[in-house]
Amino acid sequence: MTVWSLDGADLLLAVRLTPGATKEEIGGVWTDEKGAQWLSARVRAVPEKGRANAALIALLAKRLDWPRSAISLESGDTNRLKRLRIKGGGEPLSFARLSVIIRKWVEAS
């Protein structure tokens, strides 16, 4: 299993978010009881009024060099486990670039 999947021209990313962290970072994998893998991410923002979700999207946009408006939360609004949609991330050239970055995060375990 992997932390991403393709949905047409979009890339879906599974993330386990830790809000209220001392520093913002992405890296490593967390595996749930069903064996599904989730990319680990930490943000400083607190989980109030969507602040942590917004911080996660901003962090991903910056680290992936991707427009913030093209990254949306698919599920997990009030849960640590989130699925995000990266619009256009499944296009062949974009996917080639993004998958290299995401693989490095996964290997940072």
Side-chain angles (χ1 to χ4, degrees):
M1 298 192 77
T2 181
V3 299
W4 75 75
S5 62
L6 294 175
D7 183 25
D10 298 342
L11 179 72
L12 299 177
L13 189 61
V15 177
R16 182 176 190 266
L17 181 63
T18 302
T22 56
K23 70 177 193 174
E24 296 192 340
E25 59 187 350
I26 303 172
V29 173
W30 181 80
T31 305
D32 67 18
E33 65 281 350
K34 296 177 184 174
Q37 292 186 330
W38 302 79
L39 181 65
S40 294
R42 293 159 198 77
V43 295
R44 288 187 186 111
V46 294
E48 295 174 358
K49 299 180 183 177
R51 289 185 184 117
N53 292 333
L56 173 61
I57 290 171
L59 179 63
L60 287 170
K62 181 178 178 181
R63 300 278 173 88
L64 292 172
D65 191 25
W66 204 258
R68 189 182 301 188
S69 62
I71 301 174
S72 60
L73 187 65
E74 286 276 302
S75 66
D77 186 43
T78 60
N79 193 319
R80 282 182 181 258
L81 303 179
K82 309 198 178 279
R83 293 216 186 265
L84 294 112
R85 179 175 295 271
I86 302 172
K87 293 181 184 103
E91 296 289 341
L93 291 176
S94 298
F95 180 72
R97 183 179 73 78
L98 295 179
S99 65
V100 168
I101 296 168
I102 296 169
R103 278 190 191 112
K104 287 180 183 175
W105 291 342
V106 168
E107 293 167 2
S109 298

